[in-house]
Amino acid sequence: MAGERILLIEDDVDLAASLGPALRKEGYEVDHQATGAGGLAAALDNPPDLLLLDLNLPDMDGIAICRELRDSGAVGDLPILMLTARSMEADRVRGLDVGADDYVSKPFSLRELKSRINAQLRRRRLDQGTPDNIYRDDRLEVRREEMIVRLDGRPVRMTAREMELLWYLIASRPRVVPRESILERVWGLSAEVTTRTIDVHVRALRKKLGQEAIETVIGRGYRFRGYTG
């Protein structure tokens, strides 16, 4: 959405110089900080709509910045997308554990980065635009915080994991969500969990909510459709 502001904390001047114009072309305002300390101060003083955070900074680790932002309580709903050259799964998990919402591994395509930024901002708009994380359409009502789901006015029992998966799909609509993204977001890259686990949970949701609510896009993932229109 035009006018949304992105804060980029990145010490690679060349990368920042290419990302800034590309994101402004998409309609975003972009602020750049080359140091962790400067970026942290900027995020706290004037919270952006989304933070692009390099994991490897010369003066301050990106993990520490992410943790401090989350612990501050002032930017609890700020989407944080980590940029990292590290390929180790443990580093990605650490970032997600301290509150990052997503990550992109360098080198990355601009198209992928834009897609992930757009997905995080859509989710934020949904959360801000529905009081207490509530979704409603013609047949379905979901109250995330209260763990309440109703279909055609009748209560539907949900496990905590089913609710987390359902809300992630709702918040990501109309985007198709890859199984790998679901694993990272809902299961946290747990080693014992496979994409088969996701399929089982989606089938359980369809059994409770109806087959039409969640679409399978072959070769890509799942998309929440709901019952509007």
Side-chain angles (χ1 to χ4, degrees):
M1 182 179 294
E4 287 172 311
R5 190 165 58 87
I6 295 173
L7 173 60
L8 170 64
I9 304 178
E10 170 62 67
D11 66 312
D12 186 327
V13 178
D14 291 336
L15 179 58
S18 64
L19 284 182
L23 293 175
R24 292 186 186 100
K25 188 176 179 180
E26 296 295 311
Y28 298 115
E29 298 178 16
V30 181
D31 297 333
H32 172 232
Q33 293 287 333
T35 67
L40 178 60
L44 291 172
D45 291 344
N46 186 19
D49 295 297
L50 180 138
L51 173 61
L52 288 178
L53 175 61
D54 185 15
L55 191 60
N56 299 303
L57 293 164
D59 63 325
M60 192 174 184
D61 188 85
I63 296 290
I65 294 174
C66 185
R67 181 183 292 112
E68 188 159 342
L69 287 172
R70 292 306 189 213
D71 289 347
S72 74
V75 288
D77 65 342
L78 172 65
I80 298 177
L81 202 162
M82 283 192 163
L83 308 177
T84 174
R86 301 181 186 181
S87 59
M88 295 295 291
E89 180 178 295
D91 292 317
R92 299 197 298 269
V93 172
R94 284 181 64 215
L96 295 170
D97 282 347
V98 298
D101 295 281
D102 201 356
Y103 68 89
V104 179
S105 297
K106 300 177 183 178
F108 51 80
S109 71
L110 188 57
R111 181 179 179 182
E112 178 189 8
L113 180 63
K114 289 178 181 177
S115 176
R116 291 180 181 269
I117 288 173
N118 291 338
Q120 290 300 325
L121 288 173
R122 278 197 302 269
R123 178 174 185 175
R124 188 171 193 248
R125 290 179 212 128
L126 175 63
D127 286 347
Q128 291 181 334
T130 53
D132 300 322
N133 291 327
I134 297 171
Y135 168 83
R136 291 189 184 93
D137 63 29
D138 293 344
R139 297 182 57 196
L140 183 63
E141 177 184 4
V142 180
R143 294 177 175 267
R144 182 187 185 191
E145 297 298 329
E146 301 169 62
M147 286 288 292
I148 292 174
V149 178
R150 295 187 180 95
L151 181 66
D152 297 327
R154 296 188 297 272
V156 179
R157 295 186 64 181
M158 290 277 168
T159 66
R161 190 76 73 180
E162 287 170 350
M163 177 63 86
E164 192 173 355
L165 172 57
L166 175 61
W167 192 261
Y168 184 40
L169 293 174
I170 288 174
S172 300
R173 74 189 198 287
R175 183 172 65 95
V176 177
V177 185
R179 289 175 173 83
E180 292 77 12
S181 296
I182 295 173
L183 278 178
E184 294 167 13
R185 183 71 187 188
V186 179
W187 276 270
L189 291 172
S190 179
E192 68 273 11
V193 177
T194 67
T195 54
R196 175 69 176 169
T197 305
I198 299 172
D199 298 337
V200 170
H201 279 72
V202 169
R203 281 201 299 271
L205 287 177
R206 284 174 171 158
K207 185 175 181 180
K208 295 178 178 183
L209 303 178
Q211 296 296 316
E212 303 92 342
I214 301 172
E215 174 189 8
T216 298
V217 180
I218 296 174
R220 295 182 61 191
Y222 293 106
R223 173 165 49 205
F224 178 81
R225 300 192 68 87
Y227 294 99
T228 300

